[in-house]
Amino acid sequence: MSLLFFCISPLHGEMRFTDVTDKTGITFRHTIGASGKYHIVETVGAGLALFDYDLDGDIDLYFLNGAYHDANPAGPRPRNALYRNEGNWRFRDMTDAAGIGDTGYGLGVTVGDYDSDGDPDLFLNNYGPNALYRNNGDGTFTEVTKQAGLDGDVQMGSGANFLDADGDGDLDLFVSHYVHCLETLSAPATRQGYPNYLGPAASIYAQTADTLYRNNGDGTFTDISGPSGISAVSGAGMGSICGDFDNDGDTDIFVANDASENHLFLNDGTGRFEEMGFLAAVAFDHNGEAQGSMGIDLGDFDNDGWLDLYLTSYQGQWAALYRNMGVGAFNDITLMSGAGIGTFPKVTWGAGLVDFDNDGDRDIFVACGHLQPYIEKYDRRHSYAQLNCLFENTGNRYREVSRTSGSGLEVKQVSRGAAFDDLDNDGDVDIVILNAGGLPTLLKNETASQGHWLQVTLRGTSSNREGIGAQVRVVTPDLTLMDEVHSGRSYQSHFGSRLCFGLGPRTEISRIEVDWLGGEREVFPATPVDRHLVLVEGEGKAP
């Protein structure tokens, strides 16, 4: 197979990221909650959410925290933290004021306007009871888990996603689970005399089915996992993402399962799903083996109009790029594309298919960090804290540029969740990383030679308010870029409510096409570049 499947675009020189964490005012520190009993939940860290909670045009940050399993040391309980973006890379802790300092063991998070009142709400997929926080529209949130009928799920969580499964305009909720895990079942193994965490394939852990909740349209949800087909299979879910994998106009679901086959649930358009991961060739890698799948992102890396898939994994396995062939199947092109080089010796978690240099194609960032704290004692090839990875899309393959992309790629941490957005509204995409047991890392994009850009936020009217599941095509005279609004992605994280398109040297946009989920295609007129647009459903024209 030829490698010349990428969209050829001009190169703009090295990407560059600077670690600006110290200047942000962020003091949040993630808690693993290690008790010496080596519970499996201690290994997986957590995700984070980037979203504009107060609708002021700036992207805010929400970090999930762990908890203590046994006796709580002196001092306050660990809790999640919300930071409001005040501009110029300064953030203010608004956790108390907003009322979302959840003290559960946080794992996964997603954001969506489930009650269609115009502001983004927050769902936490915890180890133990989950939590739904309704945005009151005044900078505060109210915890409404029980009222919404979501208080019955007390499993070990992982990724979570809002989606409109049946196209009725209301956001439903997908909740994935890792393993059936009671603390009394957790037990340390040893390797060369050093304590070792057991993995999800250990016999003491049982795989579980995921859950799909239908939005009843009155602020409550109903578990429809059985009739929808979601609970027909089980796995050890980690990251999850919802998107239109087969371009048939409805939203499908992908779950990255750790040490077991991945699941691709294809939607028949009515909210009933069939698991098709094996037939679509995404259940296993190119060797036919189950990976230790962790994080996931969707994006059209080759600009052919189909969403491709990037999966992170465990050490001794490549982080994998699956090209969507457009015929109901994917092709693992990791080795021929170069998209996994540098990941083989690492444990990889959060990931993003993002155009960091605005040249018109998607680069890849991967967050790395081991889960065995004593790994260096018995295997000097590996380390607990690890450097992250950055891959540049050069137009005909990927090349790793991690060591030549600034101080931000010199940070060595035990990274887990990663999320991406334009935090300083300068037109390029920055990076936020949640590090297990430590401070987060904020990386400012300072790539010197940037292309032009366009950012798009959708406002649904008959479809869901945030346009989740809608596809957008930015059409220029020589290139069409496609993206889709997702709720929940990467490793148990959320970002991307605002779509960011890099345009390279192009200064002319011919039109913007939007396929609203459950609705019609609309065309919005030509627009100047280097700006942020809000496109409202019903204000475009029929094609």
Side-chain angles (χ1 to χ4, degrees):
M1 179 179 176
S2 171
L3 290 180
L4 298 178
F5 46 71
F6 290 67
C7 172
I8 304 300
S9 60
L11 300 180
H12 290 281
E14 296 290 355
M15 292 181 284
R16 182 159 295 274
F17 291 87
T18 300
D19 180 4
V20 296
T21 310
D22 288 347
K23 67 175 288 186
T24 63
I26 294 174
T27 59
F28 167 84
R29 181 178 292 273
H30 179 263
T31 300
I32 295 175
S35 63
K37 296 184 179 179
Y38 288 80
H39 306 304
I40 192 172
V41 70
E42 298 165 7
T43 68
V44 297
L48 68 153
L50 305 189
F51 70 116
D52 184 4
Y53 86 96
D54 53 1
L55 303 180
D56 65 350
D58 296 314
I59 300 298
D60 309 301
L61 314 180
Y62 188 69
F63 298 105
L64 270 63
N65 214 338
Y68 296 107
H69 296 289
D70 302 304
N72 189 1
R77 297 175 64 182
R79 61 178 186 167
N80 302 345
L82 174 69
Y83 285 88
R84 185 178 67 202
N85 188 340
E86 300 201 316
N88 197 31
W89 289 95
R90 295 294 299 177
F91 294 83
R92 176 177 294 185
D93 188 339
M94 301 298 291
T95 311
D96 287 334
I100 48 176
D102 196 87
T103 57
Y105 201 114
L107 296 171
V109 58
T110 194
V111 174
D113 185 4
Y114 82 94
D115 54 0
S116 301
D117 65 350
D119 44 45
D121 309 299
L122 190 69
F123 178 80
L124 309 179
N125 195 6
N126 292 331
Y127 173 47
N130 297 328
L132 176 67
Y133 286 90
R134 185 184 66 222
N135 192 327
N136 299 319
D138 59 359
T140 69
F141 291 76
T142 299
E143 197 264 305
V144 293
T145 316
K146 185 174 182 179
Q147 298 94 305
L150 298 174
D151 57 327
D153 189 345
V154 294
Q155 301 188 62
M156 182 175 174
S158 50
N161 316 83
F162 283 111
L163 73 156
D164 186 355
D166 49 9
D168 65 353
D170 294 320
L171 288 179
D172 309 301
L173 177 64
F174 177 78
V175 181
S176 58
H177 305 115
Y178 190 39
V179 292
H180 180 69
C181 171
L182 299 176
E183 292 182 3
T184 55
L185 292 178
S186 300
T190 58
R191 185 166 178 182
Q192 297 184 17
Y194 294 97
N196 225 43
Y197 286 98
L198 293 173
S203 60
I204 65 170
Y205 301 127
Q207 295 181 357
T208 66
D210 301 317
T211 305
L212 180 64
Y213 295 96
R214 183 186 63 218
N215 189 330
N216 298 320
D218 59 0
T220 67
F221 292 83
T222 298
D223 186 341
I224 58 168
S225 308
S228 69
I230 293 297
S231 63
V233 293
S234 297
M238 295 289 269
S240 59
I241 196 165
C242 301
D244 190 355
F245 284 77
D246 49 6
N247 277 358
D248 65 350
D250 53 40
T251 302
D252 312 302
I253 302 171
F254 187 94
V255 183
N257 288 314
D258 187 4
S260 58
E261 64 182 84
N262 301 315
H263 291 153
L264 174 59
F265 296 98
L266 292 183
N267 193 339
D268 70 356
T270 70
R272 291 184 58 85
F273 295 83
E274 183 176 4
E275 202 289 300
M276 300 291 286
F278 180 79
L279 291 179
V282 291
F284 306 101
D285 66 11
H286 68 282
N287 293 317
E289 298 179 354
Q291 290 187 297
S293 300
M294 308 286 195
I296 177 176
D297 200 17
L298 279 180
D300 183 9
F301 83 92
D302 52 0
N303 292 332
D304 66 349
W306 295 82
L307 291 172
D308 308 297
L309 179 65
Y310 193 79
L311 274 174
T312 57
S313 194
Y314 196 64
Q315 74 175 42
Q317 300 170 332
W318 308 101
L321 177 63
Y322 292 86
R323 186 189 182 205
N324 191 331
M325 306 301 291
V327 291
F330 290 74
N331 186 21
D332 183 344
I333 61 167
T334 305
L335 298 182
M336 68 174 63
S337 68
I341 293 174
T343 64
F344 192 80
K346 298 184 177 183
V347 182
T348 53
W349 302 82
L353 281 161
V354 178
D355 187 355
F356 291 114
D357 51 5
N358 284 336
D359 66 349
D361 51 36
R362 292 176 179 271
D363 313 298
I364 299 172
F365 179 89
V366 180
C368 307
H370 217 286
L371 54 81
Q372 302 291 357
Y374 293 101
I375 183 70
E376 296 157 70
K377 300 291 186 181
Y378 55 80
D379 188 346
R380 294 186 178 181
R381 299 172 299 172
H382 304 290
S383 62
Y384 186 45
Q386 298 179 343
L387 296 170
N388 298 319
C389 293
L390 180 64
F391 300 92
E392 180 189 9
N393 188 335
T394 67
N396 59 5
R397 65 180 285 114
Y398 281 96
R399 68 184 180 109
E400 187 183 5
V401 294
S402 310
R403 307 286 72 84
T404 60
S405 296
S407 65
L409 275 298
E410 297 171 2
V411 176
K412 193 173 185 179
Q413 289 280 357
V414 186
S415 299
R416 294 295 188 260
F420 313 87
D421 214 315
D422 184 1
L423 298 183
D424 49 4
N425 290 328
D426 65 349
D428 54 35
V429 178
D430 310 296
I431 304 172
V432 185
I433 307 156
L434 186 142
N435 300 308
L439 294 168
T441 303
L442 279 78
L443 304 183
K444 175 178 170 55
N445 189 338
E446 294 188 317
T447 301
S449 182
Q450 292 273 1
H452 293 290
W453 54 274
L454 183 74
Q455 295 178 0
V456 175
T457 297
L458 298 183
R459 287 289 176 262
T461 52
S462 59
S463 62
N464 70 83
R465 169 76 178 180
E466 292 159 310
I468 293 170
Q471 289 192 348
V472 177
R473 280 172 293 280
V474 174
V475 182
T476 75
D478 69 330
L479 177 67
T480 297
L481 300 170
M482 185 271 280
D483 203 357
E484 184 177 273
V485 182
H486 303 129
S487 167
R489 63 201 301 180
S490 184
Y491 177 68
Q492 303 182 172
S493 297
H494 171 88
F495 67 92
S497 300
R498 175 172 59 181
L499 303 181
C500 301
F501 297 91
L503 298 170
R506 299 165 185 87
T507 58
E508 180 182 349
I509 295 174
S510 304
R511 65 186 184 277
I512 303 172
E513 301 173 352
V514 180
D515 285 333
W516 300 96
L517 187 67
E520 303 296 329
R521 174 174 295 184
E522 289 187 321
V523 177
F524 293 82
T527 180
V529 299
D530 301 336
R531 62 192 54 215
H532 176 208
L533 299 179
V534 177
L535 304 181
V536 179
E537 185 177 14
E539 294 185 359
K541 295 182 179 180

